Amino acid sequence: MVFLDETWVKTNMAPLRGWGPRGQRLVACVPHGHWRTLTFIAALRHDRVEAPWVLDGPINGESFRLYVERILVPTLRAGDVVVLDNLGSHKQVSVRRQIRKAGAHLFYLPAYSPDLNPIEQVVAKLKHLLRKAEPRTIETAWRTIGELLDQVAPAECANYLKNSGYGAV
């Protein structure tokens, strides 16, 4: 099974919480002003995060089609099951055609069911660690995402699938 999802990443991300001395307010720096929004998209298998891609700007139908054609499809094998949520750009005929041409099957999750997509857990951890790293440029964000993805162990990937109810991996 290959679970796919995308999320936003911003160059103004900062930790949401922190620790400070008891009875004293925590003082932290949070950026304001101009920042950039990126889109991160990847696939999760039982043993790895595969086909990561960072896009400068929001995802749309054309960029998703390009991702599937050039990044995802070369990683697919005959018999793979690609699981997507119900985002409109995921339902293009050309996307379906490319995935099926690779010998893979396509499955859409029910609407509003992020708990059934284990890559959501990867994204949550990635965003937490990105907030901690505080990347302020696009290049730093790309580099940091790559370094964080290299740290995802095969056992961790299997645990994400089990935690979402896919126990027999």
Side-chain angles (χ1 to χ4, degrees):
M1 295 185 83
V2 181
F3 295 90
L4 199 73
D5 202 16
E6 64 279 321
T7 190
W8 57 266
V9 173
K10 294 186 178 188
T11 57
N12 71 337
M13 295 175 79
L16 298 175
R17 296 166 194 79
W19 294 92
R22 177 176 235 149
Q24 294 181 24
R25 185 179 296 266
L26 173 66
V27 178
C29 296
V30 178
H32 66 282
H34 301 288
W35 62 85
R36 299 289 293 271
T37 301
L38 310 169
T39 300
F40 168 72
I41 185 168
L44 175 68
R45 289 182 179 269
H46 75 284
D47 61 346
R48 65 190 174 279
V49 176
E50 193 168 58
W53 195 45
V54 179
L55 173 67
D56 186 4
I59 192 96
N60 60 24
E62 181 61 25
S63 56
F64 185 73
R65 185 196 58 74
L66 186 67
Y67 168 78
V68 168
E69 181 181 308
R70 296 194 183 164
I71 310 296
L72 179 66
V73 166
T75 69
L76 295 177
R77 298 181 304 261
D80 280 345
V81 177
V82 178
V83 182
L84 300 166
D85 59 21
N86 278 296
L87 187 64
S89 61
H90 293 174
K91 295 184 175 185
Q92 299 176 61
V93 174
S94 59
V95 167
R96 292 178 192 167
R97 192 175 299 128
Q98 288 292 327
I99 291 172
R100 290 181 179 144
K101 187 177 175 183
H105 305 282
L106 187 57
F107 181 79
Y108 291 102
L109 292 170
Y112 307 108
S113 57
D115 52 320
L116 296 176
N117 196 348
I119 197 166
E120 295 282 355
Q121 298 168 63
V122 175
V123 166
K125 181 179 179 179
L126 179 73
K127 280 190 173 183
H128 171 75
L129 295 173
L130 277 170
R131 280 185 168 83
K132 199 174 189 180
E134 299 180 346
R136 297 293 172 243
T137 65
I138 292 174
E139 293 78 21
T140 307
W142 287 338
R143 208 172 315 111
T144 305
I145 289 169
E147 291 167 2
L148 293 172
L149 290 177
D150 288 342
Q151 297 173 19
V152 179
E156 187 178 353
C157 295
N159 286 338
Y160 290 138
L161 268 68
K162 288 177 189 169
N163 190 47
S164 291
Y166 305 98
V169 291

